[in-house]
Amino acid sequence: MAFKPNYNFQKAERSRAKAQKKQEKLKRLQDEAAKRKAERGEDPETEEAGEAAETSTDEA
């Protein structure tokens, strides 16, 4: 063995890589969903604003 293993560092690197991969997958899925909505003629930003308006009127 050429060097003493640093298990905490190795675990941190694995966790970081896992989190990065998860973020990339989430972004890809969101982009694909936005693309599908655009193809159907829906505007994702308009929908979000409409949903926010609906929830604020429901609370009152």
Side-chain angles (χ1 to χ4, degrees):
M1 195 157 50
F3 57 91
K4 183 178 175 185
N6 188 345
Y7 297 110
N8 290 330
F9 175 76
Q10 292 171 347
K11 178 156 178 51
E13 285 294 303
R14 286 193 305 269
S15 296
R16 182 195 56 78
K18 184 178 178 182
Q20 182 179 4
K21 186 176 180 180
K22 190 174 183 179
Q23 278 296 112
E24 290 171 355
K25 182 178 180 180
L26 181 63
K27 182 173 181 353
R28 180 177 47 86
L29 291 175
Q30 288 173 343
D31 290 344
E32 290 173 359
K35 186 177 178 182
R36 283 193 307 271
K37 286 182 180 181
E39 288 174 355
R40 290 188 308 204
E42 299 174 4
D43 186 13
E45 293 180 8
T46 305
E47 277 188 18
E48 291 173 5
E51 291 173 0
E54 289 174 6
T55 57
S56 63
T57 57
D58 291 341
E59 294 174 3

